[in-house]
Amino acid sequence: MLAISILVLLHEGGHFFFAKLFGVRVDKFYLFFDPSIWKWKGSLFKFKPKNSDTQYGIGWLPLGGYCKIAGMIDESFDKEQMKQPEQPWEFRSKPAWQRLLIMIGGVLVNFLLALFIYSMVLFWWGDTYTPTKNMTHGMKFNTEAKAFGFRDGDILVSADGQEFKEFGGDMFRQLSEAHQVVVMRDGRQQTIQLPGDLNLLEMIKSSPRFVDTLVPMEVDSIIPGSPAQKVGLAKGDKILCLNDSAVADYNDFIFQMAVLKDCRMKAETNAAKEQLQTVRLIVQRTTSAIDTLQVKLNVDEEGNLKLGFSPNLAAIDYQTVTTEYGFFESFPAGIKYGWHVLASYVEDLKYVFTTEGAKSLGGFGTIGSLFPATWDWHRFWEMTAFLSIILAFMNILPIPALDGGHVLFLIYEMVTRRKPSEDLLIKAEYVGFGLIILLMIVANFNDILRWLGYM
């Protein structure tokens, strides 16, 4: 809420700044929307400074915010004002180039804000990451990846001659576009041929993923009162088998638990579900003794099966690299990074028009999940910058009701020297607003389906 509020206020502030600069009256400046319900006007808070034309306030519907500019057809659909004679302080009376700057003001602020935040993040925290070549336990690959020649334990080094920086989205993107990938296997470099056009979304969303970090199967901490404690699992134990499936590493264990969850959710009777909840473990103790254990797993609210232990992450405490930036050095680095984030986001938009891409759309729940469960200023500002870039790009799309829709009509006017009719602008605003509401419904419905376990 804090991140979105900051972005909305500054976005609308961009429109506000240019409107005031060119002498256009701003009737309302609101965080959140304030639709009226019966006799209630919908404002949680509002005030109007003395000698000011602008009412400032906070609405009750937290879906963004708005800056109501006099003499402009926008989401307020104020047709009555448009029927009045044109006034010199109205948006519609100003030259097209001034109206264009007013409309792109919000996008401009959001984009510059993102670059500034990224610069300050690099200045304050630097850039700390773990190079993939330092991940000495290697990676875990799925069946598709192994068909190309990858093996569990391979360490990713480079793609088409360019070294992988770290494990993450950029690494997956490099793999999807690569023709030759170099890995370190048993101390020697091996070259693997790829087609160069792998589906990035499928690589990431497949279960298990195309590649994941390999986590050794060694028990570390035990949750008190958990099934793991009840059957006597201890620090240093290694699970070798779950039911009839071998467990080579923690990745295998998580995958097998996910398969059990799917089977349990498809079970038609409570007795069948109860039976699937009880599993057989073959465990190698720290003494090298092999034990067979029967254990009834816990089930959380989302249907996930829980044994109740954490793996030994100290075993994968890889060496990190930190690049530090001075104050002035941080600006070109932040601009470069922000531009890279924008270019990657635009490139990945093509997947939205696929079935899996549509399923990947998310609403407020997805946005919330981008932030950590505990407060972290570093992560907060990184995600705020990321959302600012998304907000800037989405708003400049040539869709009616968005800033880009208004810009499109203004460019048409500047080229043809003819204003589109107000009737056309109002109809376009209705269509655009309807599309936006539909997209929000789909995105938030996807969140609900994920929460219910259907996606």
Side-chain angles (χ1 to χ4, degrees), residues 73-75 77 400-401 406 425-434:
I73 296 170
D74 59 10
E75 61 270 19
F77 300 106
H406 294 285
L425 293 176
I426 290 172
K427 288 178 179 177
E429 194 78 10
Y430 275 118
V431 170
F433 199 72

Side-chain angles (χ1 to χ4, degrees), residues 160-454:
D160 292 339
Q162 182 179 358
E163 278 197 0
F164 295 109
K165 180 183 176 183
E166 60 184 324
F167 193 98
D170 286 340
M171 183 203 73
F172 276 94
R173 188 172 290 104
Q174 282 180 263
L175 283 171
S176 70
E177 299 170 354
H179 292 89
Q180 287 188 335
V181 175
V182 175
V183 301
M184 188 68 71
R185 181 183 299 165
D186 299 328
R188 299 178 61 183
Q189 287 193 350
Q190 301 281 341
T191 300
I192 295 171
Q193 305 296 325
L194 291 180
D197 59 353
L198 295 176
N199 186 299
L200 176 62
L201 191 62
E202 289 180 2
M203 292 172 70
I204 295 174
K205 289 186 67 64
S206 59
S207 182
R209 295 193 295 180
F210 187 89
V211 56
D212 226 322
T213 54
L214 193 151
V215 181
M217 182 63 259
E218 183 178 324
V219 174
D220 184 37
S221 57
I222 304 292
I223 297 174
S226 66
Q229 185 185 54
K230 291 175 183 177
V231 295
L233 274 183
K235 181 180 177 67
D237 289 349
K238 296 179 181 179
I239 298 174
L240 304 179
C241 195
L242 192 157
N243 289 337
D244 296 322
S245 301
V247 175
D249 41 58
Y250 187 67
N251 306 66
D252 279 347
F253 177 79
I254 292 298
F255 177 69
Q256 293 303 328
M257 292 286 275
V259 171
L260 271 177
K261 173 190 172 181
D262 290 342
C263 293
R264 187 174 179 277
M265 299 210 35
K266 292 174 183 176
E268 297 180 355
T269 64
N270 288 331
K273 290 183 179 183
E274 187 83 10
Q275 185 177 1
L276 288 166
Q277 199 174 330
T278 301
V279 298
R280 184 179 71 259
L281 302 177
I282 297 178
V283 177
Q284 181 180 345
R285 303 291 191 177
T286 52
T287 59
S288 296
I290 305 295
D291 285 343
T292 299
L293 308 173
Q294 291 279 95
V295 55
K296 184 177 181 179
L297 304 172
N298 287 340
V299 183
D300 67 14
E301 293 178 355
E302 297 179 356
N304 299 308
L305 296 165
K306 299 291 184 180
L307 180 54
F309 76 94
S310 298
N312 183 10
L313 297 179
I316 53 172
D317 187 18
Y318 301 129
Q319 183 179 355
T320 61
V321 172
T322 299
T323 303
E324 296 184 349
Y325 295 90
F327 182 74
F328 294 106
E329 290 177 311
S330 68
F331 286 99
I335 291 169
K336 181 180 178 181
Y337 184 78
W339 188 258
H340 171 71
V341 170
L342 176 61
S344 300
Y345 179 75
V346 172
E347 182 183 348
D348 295 344
L349 273 181
K350 61 188 177 186
Y351 295 109
V352 172
F353 303 101
T354 65
T355 302
E356 282 301 314
K359 291 179 181 178
S360 298
L361 289 173
F364 300 114
T366 298
I367 292 173
S369 69
L370 295 174
F371 293 83
T374 55
W375 192 266
D376 181 341
W377 277 112
H378 185 193
R379 186 65 175 165
F380 171 80
W381 287 118
E382 280 189 332
M383 287 298 97
T384 301
F386 177 64
L387 291 175
S388 192
I389 278 187
I390 292 177
L391 184 60
F393 177 77
M394 296 301 291
N395 260 285
I396 205 61
L397 291 175
I399 299 172
L402 295 179
D403 295 343
H406 294 285
V407 168
L408 182 66
F409 286 120
L410 280 168
I411 291 174
Y412 166 82
E413 178 186 338
M414 294 170 76
V415 171
T416 64
R417 300 192 180 280
R418 289 198 312 247
K419 278 189 177 183
S421 69
E422 289 183 1
D423 184 57
L424 172 64
L425 293 176
I426 290 172
K427 288 178 179 177
E429 194 78 10
Y430 275 118
V431 170
F433 199 72
L435 288 173
I436 293 168
I437 294 297
L438 179 62
L439 181 62
M440 287 180 62
I441 291 171
V442 171
N444 286 285
F445 185 65
N446 282 352
D447 282 347
I448 293 170
L449 290 178
R450 291 188 193 99
W451 180 68
L452 293 173
Y454 291 106

